Amino acid sequence: MAALDQTIVSTALKSVVADLGHQDLVPWIGSAYLFTAAPFGALYGKFADIFGRKWVFVFALVVFELGSFLCGIAPNMATLILGRAVAGVGEVSGIFSCVLIIISDIVSIQDRGKYQGMIGACFGLSSVIGPLIGGAFSDHVSWRWCFYINLPLGVITVATVIAFLPFPIPEGSMASKIKRIDVFGIITLFASILCLITPLQLGGSVWAWNSAQTIIMFVLFPFCFAAFVYVELRIASDPIVPAGMFLNSSVPALLVVALCMGAGFFSAVYYISLFFQVVNGDSATSAGVQTIPLVFGVVILSIASGIYISKTGNYKRFYYIGPVFQIIGASLISTLNKDSNTAQKIFYLLIFGIGCGSLVQTRVLGIQASVPPKFIAVVTAISQTCMTLGGAIGVAISGTIFNNVMSNDVSNYPNLLSAVAQLQSHGIPADPTEVLSLSGMIKESGFLQNATAASEELGLVFNNAYKIAYLTLLVYPIIILIMTFFITQMKFGGKA
């Protein structure tokens, strides 16, 4: 449910704008979610320790449901953005972190791989088929069902958790628990994450990359982060991120793995879906169907790696296997074009999916095995937050590279350049970097004499930008391979 909601909205945006208007506010739909999901995600581990697993989980579910309800009934764009912000408080980092924390409490570490492997498979499956479902709802029912679908699922989940999850409430009064909250840590953490996320999300769309506000936010980030570190080390009596959990090199290395996994995975899914829609001319629904081989690879390897780790206890080898398959898969996917056959598309996406599936949950198992039991909740939540942040960073970097290549290459294609100029002269806001919108404008304009030639040239420009953007994704698995040398294979129980 939570993973599905991350990506289901992407293919519904066109219908949302047609219904609610305010195209200029579209970037805030995704940004509002990340502005709350990223900073709150890091808190769930500590809150689960203070207030108990069960009721923190229920809180995350209820808040997510409230946000989904607000989005579904939204009469205007402002309400939709508010709903996404509310949903972000409870969504991926909260719900996923709580699920993984609860599994670590009720399942022995020897058997944890099997269960977390299934959770990883659900995450991969939902993340990739989200655009397919979103497109189907938008094309055949209403974009509002992208959010309504969460309501019955959420009600069933909340009722099940309350009725059947036998977690006792931690001892102590509510006042004593509230006193344990690291207020200054929360303030400096929120400031750090927002100073990083805000320019990454709004730069290049709402704000120019060289605008004063973008530069100021990036400059403030290291100072806010330094303040957070100081608070955690010197001021907080019960810090959000205890220094004691960094007792070996494996923990920071695996947090970097989580960042890179998020950056590579979400960028790859976004651009392969865009490729099928622009180059092949597929609908959003058809583009989702084309990504099934990637889904298959993620699901199979998530489950298989979990079973293997449960039997052998060896997880480190997947930190070699995963990046190698990602490098091969991304390199092959970057070569796709309109003439590529079905076998190539299936094989290339399957290879990349195998790489992602090898890492999606082994990173969690590895980091949980690297800390004492008292730190498992905190380190699990922080790992999930790192993956969310990685997704934001990766998509922003790839998007900037993609847009720059698109803008520079348009001048080399006269028919496309002429079509953009004609559209703009008719008051149509044609932007070469908004490829899906521009493709639709060219096909539906009715007054462009060179529409067919312009569409073909747009496909060529896109294919070149797509290839370069995809090749930049190779940086992330390479970093993961480097980090692997700092990861120690632990025996289950926290010892090497």
Side-chain angles (χ1 to χ4, degrees), residues 69-157:
F69 177 72
L70 287 173
C71 291
I73 66 168
N76 51 52
M77 192 67 84
T79 306
L80 178 63
I81 292 169
L82 174 63
R84 290 302 288 161
V86 173
V89 174
E91 200 176 331
V92 171
S93 291
I95 295 175
F96 260 106
S97 294
C98 287
V99 167
L100 294 173
I101 291 167
I102 290 168
I103 288 175
S104 71
D105 284 345
I106 62 179
V107 178
S108 69
I109 194 165
Q110 287 81 6
D111 292 328
R112 203 175 296 165
K114 293 181 289 187
Y115 294 94
Q116 291 192 354
M118 288 187 282
I119 296 298
C122 291
F123 169 81
L125 177 64
S126 300
S127 296
V128 179
I129 68 169
L132 188 158
I133 298 175
F137 278 144
S138 299
D139 293 342
H140 305 295
V141 188
S142 166
W143 62 266
R144 296 181 185 276
W145 276 97
C146 293
F147 305 103
Y148 287 148
I149 191 175
N150 294 322
L151 300 181
L153 296 174
V155 170
I156 293 169
T157 305

Side-chain angles (χ1 to χ4, degrees), residues 35-353:
F35 287 162
T36 53
F40 272 97
L43 304 180
Y44 275 95
K46 177 57 69 174
F47 285 174
D49 284 340
I50 295 174
F51 299 104
R53 280 39 168 165
K54 180 176 182 175
W55 295 108
V56 169
F57 189 25
V58 169
F59 171 82
L61 289 165
V62 170
V63 172
F64 172 62
E65 288 292 283
L66 175 61
S68 297
F69 177 72
L70 287 173
C71 291
I73 66 168
N76 51 52
M77 192 67 84
T79 306
L80 178 63
I81 292 169
L82 174 63
R84 290 302 288 161
V86 173
V89 174
E91 200 176 331
V92 171
S93 291
I95 295 175
F96 260 106
S97 294
C98 287
V99 167
L100 294 173
I101 291 167
I102 290 168
I103 288 175
S104 71
D105 284 345
I106 62 179
V107 178
S108 69
I109 194 165
Q110 287 81 6
D111 292 328
R112 203 175 296 165
K114 293 181 289 187
Y115 294 94
Q116 291 192 354
M118 288 187 282
I119 296 298
C122 291
F123 169 81
L125 177 64
S126 300
S127 296
V128 179
I129 68 169
L132 188 158
I133 298 175
F137 278 144
S138 299
D139 293 342
H140 305 295
V141 188
S142 166
W143 62 266
R144 296 181 185 276
W145 276 97
C146 293
F147 305 103
Y148 287 148
I149 191 175
N150 294 322
L151 300 181
L153 296 174
V155 170
I156 293 169
T157 305
V158 170
T160 302
V161 169
I162 292 174
F164 299 108
L165 199 62
F167 274 96
I169 298 174
E171 295 180 359
S173 65
M174 182 58 69
S176 66
K177 292 175 182 177
I178 291 174
K179 286 181 181 179
R180 290 180 60 189
I181 296 175
D182 178 10
V183 176
F184 291 112
I186 291 174
I187 293 171
T188 51
L189 176 66
F190 271 53
S192 302
I193 293 178
L194 290 179
C195 283
L196 178 62
I197 287 288
T198 303
L200 286 175
Q201 285 294 294
L202 303 184
S205 55
V206 178
W207 298 344
W209 283 113
N210 60 353
S211 66
Q213 56 266 46
T214 301
I215 295 170
I216 289 171
M217 295 292 268
F218 277 132
V219 170
L220 285 175
F221 166 68
F223 292 100
C224 292
F225 186 73
F228 171 68
V229 172
Y230 179 80
V231 168
E232 298 301 279
L233 292 177
R234 298 298 181 89
I235 297 176
S237 58
D238 195 357
I240 299 169
V241 183
M245 75 181 198
F246 295 98
L247 74 169
N248 57 60
S249 63
S250 296
V251 174
L254 283 162
L255 292 179
V256 174
V257 169
L259 274 168
C260 292
M261 178 61 196
F265 179 73
F266 288 112
S267 301
V269 170
Y270 175 76
Y271 281 103
I272 195 61
S273 177
L274 206 58
F275 169 85
F276 288 127
Q277 292 180 71
V278 175
V279 176
N280 286 9
D282 293 336
S283 66
T285 306
S286 298
V289 172
Q290 297 264 28
T291 62
I292 286 176
L294 196 158
V295 178
F296 186 77
V298 172
V299 170
I300 293 300
L301 260 294
S302 293
I303 296 173
S305 63
I307 294 172
Y308 177 84
I309 294 168
S310 290
K311 288 183 176 180
T312 67
N314 192 314
Y315 54 83
K316 184 175 178 178
R317 63 187 53 183
F318 288 100
Y319 304 144
Y320 295 108
I321 295 171
V324 168
F325 273 86
Q326 284 184 324
I327 289 169
I328 296 170
S331 300
L332 291 172
I333 291 172
S334 72
T335 67
L336 291 176
N337 54 53
K338 64 182 180 66
D339 298 320
S340 299
N341 58 48
T342 301
Q344 287 176 303
K345 296 172 187 174
I346 292 173
F347 180 68
Y348 297 172
L349 266 67
L350 177 63
I351 293 295
F352 188 78

Side-chain angles (χ1 to χ4, degrees), residues 393-408:
I393 293 168
V395 171
I397 292 173
S398 298
T400 301
I401 295 169
F402 177 86
N403 290 340
N404 286 339
V405 175
M406 286 286 297
S407 299
N408 293 333

